[in-house]
Amino acid sequence: MSLKKAYEQYFKMGTSVSVFDMKSERAKEELVKHYSSMTAENEMKPMFLLDKETTLANPEKYNLQPAMKFDSAVKYLEFARENGIALRGHTLVWHNQTPIWFFKKGYQDNWDAPWADRETMLARMEWYIKSVLNFVQTEYPGVIYAWDVVNEAIEEKAEEGWRKRSPWYQTVGEDLVLQAFRFARKYAAPGVKLFYNDYNTFNPFKRKTILEYIVKPLMEEKLIDGIGMQTHLILKECDRDLVQYEETLKCFGATGLEIHSTELDIHNADPSEEGLNKLADVYRKLFSLYVKAKKEGTANITCVTFWGMKDDVSWLTGFRKERSYPLLFGDNWEEKEAYHTVLQVAEEASR
Ligand code: GLA
């Protein structure tokens, strides 16, 4: 049995894929076996697609239309096409992993340089979105089925509203999300789904702010097709967070938009049997929520994507500054208890 087969009737099963995975035969085998959707972990982010050397060599020429390069994306596009795996585009407009020069007057590569003005930034935004979508849709039509158009535009403390520290906010201002989705809709091929993606969406303030500031205005203009819930969870906090997570599924689901769980992992520092059983238990609860929401029609979940295929490659070890064992497969691809549990949830649901 494979993950994608087990969940076929409910939603796509996805994973992020790193550049190292793309070089590993074993990783590619597992990818083809278990997943029907994939997301490039980094290589389709602006820091990879903007051509710094060419742009900065002639900032006047490229002022409104930065030079682009797509070689880092091509291996993902080709692999996805060859193996019939749907590719999630991640991500067009984000404050992170976008070089600072992109936001600066004359492309000065320096944090202290003045920002480019709003008109310039809107032109650069449109050019960026248009170039990326045109490239993938011309060279690899039908391969990318959904895009995270904007990632993380709401403040960590959601009661503060917009993430005002973001260079996008600093330069474009409050309508940055609306503008980005207008451009994305203008250039996206018919049928390509446009998503807003954010983390800690179980936070009640954040949920409310996302609905008010982002989803409602975008829905009014029919610009958004789905909401991405990143789903980076922490095992020790799941008792509390899953209650709110279910509520968010309901609230987001009630909009009628598609819901993707876009970056699922559960930080867990305990590799003992007890730790791994606890992890499996939380995965059971989470997948039960997904299946229940899907079956009862409370949330139209169409894809669940893990952020990494196996423990030792997870970003969490670096981020949390302790070794993490957050995923379904161990360092040597061993099937963890959590893996069996996730399969079991699907089997039980289909009985
Ligand atoms: C965010 C981004 C992802 C990734 C993770 C951490 O959630 O959306 O692209 O960078 O952080 O790895």
Side-chain angles (χ1 to χ4, degrees):
M1 186 46 90
S2 70
L3 291 169
K4 70 175 176 194
K5 186 98 191 107
Y7 281 88
E8 197 172 37
Q9 58 175 311
Y10 301 113
F11 37 74
K12 286 191 175 70
M13 278 297 232
T15 180
S16 70
V17 181
S18 74
V19 68
F20 306 105
D21 296 326
M22 292 303 290
K23 290 183 188 144
S24 152
E25 286 312 313
R26 179 67 193 268
K28 288 194 271 188
E29 267 170 41
E30 299 288 332
L31 181 53
V32 172
K33 175 176 176 195
H34 284 295
Y35 306 94
S36 43
S37 173
M38 60 188 264
T39 309
E41 186 170 356
N42 287 303
E43 286 69 20
M44 293 176 72
K45 293 172 177 171
M47 64 181 287
F48 283 91
L49 304 188
L50 286 165
D51 181 346
K52 177 177 180 182
E53 213 186 309
T54 311
T55 307
L56 269 56
N58 196 343
E60 270 172 40
K61 174 177 172 197
Y62 292 105
N63 188 35
L64 302 180
Q65 304 187 340
M68 309 283 298
K69 56 182 168 61
F70 296 105
D71 41 316
S72 64
V74 160
K75 41 186 171 303
Y76 290 88
L77 289 156
E78 296 210 328
F79 188 84
R81 182 171 68 185
E82 273 164 32
N83 294 284
I85 304 177
L87 187 59
R88 277 195 103 254
H90 175 76
T91 172
L92 295 169
V93 170
W94 191 24
H95 61 276
N96 212 347
Q97 293 188 275
T98 305
I100 195 63
W101 56 261
F102 180 70
F103 300 99
K104 295 293 186 169
K105 192 171 175 194
Y107 291 130
Q108 294 173 71
D109 193 9
N110 165 4
W111 276 90
D112 298 326
W115 298 116
D117 60 50
R118 172 178 155 92
E119 291 320 306
T120 302
M121 282 316 298
L122 284 174
R124 289 179 189 172
M125 180 195 265
E126 175 165 11
W127 174 251
Y128 182 84
I129 292 174
K130 176 182 173 183
S131 305
V132 176
L133 295 185
N134 280 352
F135 175 80
V136 304
Q137 290 166 182
T138 310
E139 304 292 323
Y140 300 90
V143 172
I144 295 190
Y145 71 108
W147 273 100
D148 289 328
V149 177
V150 178
N151 201 22
E152 305 175 343
I154 297 300
E155 195 45 81
E156 179 101 32
K157 292 194 189 113
E159 58 273 30
E160 292 172 8
W162 296 108
R163 181 187 278 268
K164 300 194 177 67
R165 301 166 288 155
S166 160
W168 278 117
Y169 187 93
Q170 296 282 324
T171 53
V172 173
E174 264 187 35
D175 61 343
L176 80 97
V177 176
L178 196 59
Q179 298 285 356
F181 274 82
R182 283 186 188 149
F183 294 138
R185 189 58 102 207
K186 182 168 167 195
Y187 298 109
V192 171
K193 304 289 172 87
L194 306 182
F195 277 72
Y196 173 74
N197 190 45
D198 213 327
Y199 63 96
N200 290 4
T201 51
F202 51 78
N203 173 324
F205 271 117
K206 199 155 182 177
R207 162 171 80 219
K208 187 165 161 272
T209 311
I210 289 171
L211 284 169
E212 261 176 45
Y213 284 41
I214 294 181
V215 175
K216 189 165 173 274
L218 290 179
M219 282 187 77
E220 276 165 14
E221 289 189 36
K222 296 193 169 34
L223 296 173
I224 186 171
D225 302 300
I227 312 175
M229 299 170 66
Q230 288 189 7
T231 322
H232 295 296
L233 300 171
I234 297 175
L235 185 60
K236 287 189 177 144
E237 295 171 9
C238 277
D239 281 347
R240 181 193 69 201
D241 292 343
L242 281 190
V243 177
Q244 288 304 329
Y245 190 92
E246 184 174 16
E247 187 59 26
T248 301
L249 272 181
K250 239 189 255 165
C251 294
F252 285 178
T255 63
L257 296 174
E258 287 187 37
I259 307 296
H260 283 185
S261 170
T262 51
E263 303 179 21
L264 169 58
D265 49 25
I266 304 176
H267 175 53
N268 159 40
D270 177 5
S272 72
E273 200 179 328
E274 195 194 343
L276 296 182
N277 285 339
K278 277 191 193 149
L279 180 74
D281 194 46
V282 172
Y283 271 114
R284 171 188 300 285
K285 289 187 183 136
L286 190 60
F287 275 83
S288 303
L289 287 184
Y290 291 149
V291 168
K292 181 167 161 249
K294 187 78 191 190
K295 275 184 154 176
E296 293 177 356
T298 46
N300 182 21
I301 301 165
T302 47
C303 183
V304 174
T305 296
F306 288 90
W307 206 245
M309 281 189 272
K310 63 188 183 78
D311 285 345
D312 62 334
V313 301
S314 169
W315 72 294
L316 283 167
T317 293
F319 185 68
R320 297 280 166 203
K321 300 192 172 56
E322 58 183 348
R323 179 68 217 269
S324 191
Y325 306 86
L327 297 164
L328 303 191
F329 297 94
D331 298 1
N332 299 306
W333 297 104
E334 59 279 19
E335 297 167 350
K336 293 163 65 181
E337 190 54 32
Y339 168 78
H340 297 292
T341 304
V342 166
L343 285 183
Q344 227 175 26
V345 171
E347 275 162 33
E348 284 167 13
S350 63
R351 265 184 218 149

